[in-house]
Each structure stands twice: as C-alpha cells, then as structure tokens.
Amino acid sequence: MEERKVVLVTGGSRGIGKEVAKVYAENGYDVAINYVSDKTDVEGIEKEFKDLGVKCLMVKADVSNGEDVEKMVEEVISEFGKIDVLVNNAGITKDTLLMRMSEEDFDKVIEINLKGTYLVTKQVTKYMMKKRQGSIINLASVVGVVGNAGQCNYSASKAGIIGFTKSVAKELASRNIRANAVAPGFIETDMTNVLKDEVKESINAQIPLKRMGNAREVAEVIYFLGSEKSSYITGQVINIDGGMVM
Ligand code: NAP
C-alpha cells in the first residue's frame, strides 16, 4: 500500500484552515492541525477527521513563539515521520487607521502573520530538505498586493509574506521544494463576520462576481498547489478574489 502523505495546517481549527485540512483529508492525507486557543474543540475536530478515515493530530502552539513552533514540528515528525505539505494559514487582524494604531497592535499582527510564517517554514523545511521534496503554501491576501485603509499592519504582514514566499521559492527550488502564496479577497469566516452588513454590501458591489468567497473555494486552490498537478509552479501568488484585483 502506498504511504499516506502528511499535511501540516497552521490555524486549522476554524475558517479557511479547517476547510484546507478537510480537503487534504478527503484526498487521503494524514493531517496535523495547529491551533492556539483554549476554546478550541480538540476532541470534536479529531473525531470529525478520524471519521474521514485519516489520522489527525491536533497540536497547540503559538506560531509567533519559536519554542512552541519547534516543539510543534517535532511532535508532528514523531507522529507521522514527515511533512509533505505545509500550509501557513494562521493569521489575525487588528484593524484601525494608522493614526490610531498602537505599536502593540502593529507588532502583534506582524509577529503572528509574518514572523509565524517564517518560524514554521524554517522548522519544517529542515525535514523537507532531507527528503528533497515538499510544497509550502502561504496565506497572503489581496490587501498585501493593493493595500487597504485601516489595515496597514495586516497589509504589511501579507506583503511581507509575498516577498518571503518568493525568496524561499528561489532558495529551495534546487531541493525540489516549491513555495507559493494564495491571496484571497473577502472570504466568509469568523475574520470577516465582524464586518457590518452595510460594509459587506459595499464590498460585494466592488467584486466582479458580486459575492464573497467561501473557505472551500480557497481550500481547493491550496490543495492544487500542494499536489503534483502543480509540479511546475513555484514562487507565484494566486489571487482568489472573485476578480477584485486583476
Ligand atoms: P479565522 O477564521 O479567524 O481563523 C484563524 C485561525 O488562526 C484559527 O484557527 C486560530 O486558532 C489561528 N490562530 C490565530 N492566532 C494564532 C497563533 N498565534 N498561533 C496559531 N494559530 C493561530 O481566519 P480565516 O478567515 O480562516 O483566515 C485564515 C488565513 O487566511 C489568515 O492568514 C488570513 O489572514 C487569511 N485571509 C483571510 C481572508 C478572509 O476574508 N477571511 C482574506 C484573505 C486572507 P484558534 O481557533 O485556536 O483561535
């Protein structure tokens, strides 16, 4: 029997990350799901994935903490022996206008979104390099490409992720490791549920497809980028935004 592949999804307990883990599980991958909050329903999620017929390891770690990340990756390796695909999905927003943005809120978003992506990628690629194969998919955002008023911290973190992805793609291509980013527009999750209805309506009006996307529509592209079907694609940023940015 062919050995099952393994995916590690950071921030996989909700929203886009959970849907990503689900698509991989449906395609026969064992899944390691990272989360950070004490409120996360660890047992419920484990059961949901075991019902899909794959192994599921829930790993608690703050991706912005180097020690946590090292332990998380060691735990995944000791359970599964390898990581074929890494999805750096964990992310937060702390939106406000530049003039009102505290240094703390600026730093927090950069630390979790950008530094977290660096810390996890660094640990995981150690093992990918030994195997001379792997695929990394980082969650950027369209606002990392075009900017957004009220999101200077978040946009900077996502623009940083794009530069980081391209550099890693160049560094690791010779080891047969690919790195790509996806840049979603507005996707229905807890992150966008906080928006008022009138804000959502005005956003939808600006989207050529006239609606927000759903987590599944992002997860399917991430699955493609992790699979052999995208074997000649590296260093790219794929917008998933209903045509918002073109
Ligand atoms: P979400 O529903 O708010 O879920 C965020 C996930 O990140 C949760 O699983 C959360 O874990 C985890 N997380 C937060 N801080 C963490 C930390 N320090 N360490 C480890 N995990 C942490 O978010 P989402 O909307 O699915 O977004 C997922 C990714 O897509 C993010 O990178 C986001 O920036 C990006 N994105 C989203 C949209 C959108 O419209 N939704 C658009 C563009 C890009 P707990 O459950 O344990 O709290």
Side-chain angles (χ1 to χ4, degrees):
M1 210 172 85
E2 208 184 313
E3 199 187 12
R4 272 217 293 263
K5 289 195 169 176
V6 177
V7 62
L8 167 60
V9 185
T10 68
S13 48
R14 292 186 275 131
I16 294 171
K18 188 169 178 199
E19 201 60 31
V20 169
K22 212 179 268 176
V23 174
Y24 275 95
E26 287 166 5
N27 282 282
Y29 279 63
D30 288 331
V31 293
I33 297 179
N34 155 254
Y35 65 99
V36 74
S37 158
D38 290 329
K39 286 180 271 171
T40 300
D41 175 16
V42 175
E43 283 175 18
I45 297 174
E46 270 174 354
K47 178 163 184 327
E48 207 177 317
F49 280 83
K50 280 174 187 157
D51 287 349
L52 292 171
V54 298
K55 286 189 195 158
C56 171
L57 176 72
M58 296 292 295
V59 260
K60 185 173 180 178
D62 176 352
V63 293
S64 66
N65 178 309
E67 270 178 37
D68 269 23
V69 168
E70 208 175 327
K71 278 194 209 137
M72 167 178 80
V73 174
E74 276 170 13
E75 206 180 323
V76 179
I77 293 293
S78 90
E79 176 72 18
F80 294 130
K82 61 174 185 167
I83 297 170
D84 298 289
V85 178
L86 165 64
V87 182
N88 280 308
N89 166 82
I92 60 160
T93 51
K94 284 192 181 287
D95 300 349
T96 193
L97 297 172
L98 169 65
M99 286 303 150
R100 292 198 202 122
M101 188 171 291
S102 67
E103 201 176 326
E104 194 187 352
D105 282 356
F106 185 86
D107 286 348
K108 194 81 195 155
V109 168
I110 299 289
E111 272 175 24
I112 294 177
N113 297 6
L114 180 56
K115 186 177 151 194
T117 297
Y118 145 76
L119 287 171
V120 181
T121 303
K122 187 175 174 188
Q123 289 304 323
V124 170
T125 47
K126 279 200 304 207
Y127 298 96
M128 287 181 168
M129 279 161 79
K130 281 188 201 149
K131 289 240 164 206
R132 290 196 162 262
Q133 76 164 40
S135 179
I136 301 158
I137 302 103
N138 296 327
L139 269 286
S141 164
V142 287
V143 306
V145 181
V146 295
N148 195 21
Q151 290 198 304
C152 67
N153 51 357
Y154 183 77
S155 307
S157 75
K158 296 301 184 180
I161 285 174
I162 291 173
F164 176 82
T165 304
K166 292 180 180 183
S167 301
V168 166
K170 286 186 176 174
E171 258 182 59
L172 298 179
S174 62
R175 311 292 177 99
N176 195 30
I177 298 169
R178 298 181 295 114
N180 291 288
V182 293
F186 285 91
I187 310 298
E188 288 163 359
T189 67
D190 291 348
M191 193 177 265
T192 47
N193 279 344
V194 294
L195 299 171
K196 292 189 188 124
D197 282 348
E198 57 263 34
V199 175
K200 285 187 188 166
E201 276 164 31
S202 87
I203 289 168
N204 286 347
Q206 293 162 41
I207 301 172
L209 288 180
K210 297 291 174 219
R211 63 171 178 88
M212 285 197 179
N214 60 56
R216 188 74 184 193
E217 290 172 310
V218 179
E220 294 284 3
V221 179
I222 291 176
Y223 180 71
F224 165 73
L225 289 172
S227 79
E228 275 307 298
K229 295 206 166 155
S230 61
S231 52
Y232 203 50
I233 301 179
T234 195
Q236 302 305 306
V237 184
I238 315 277
N239 292 4
I240 310 167
D241 63 357
M244 258 175 86
V245 174
M246 53 170 107

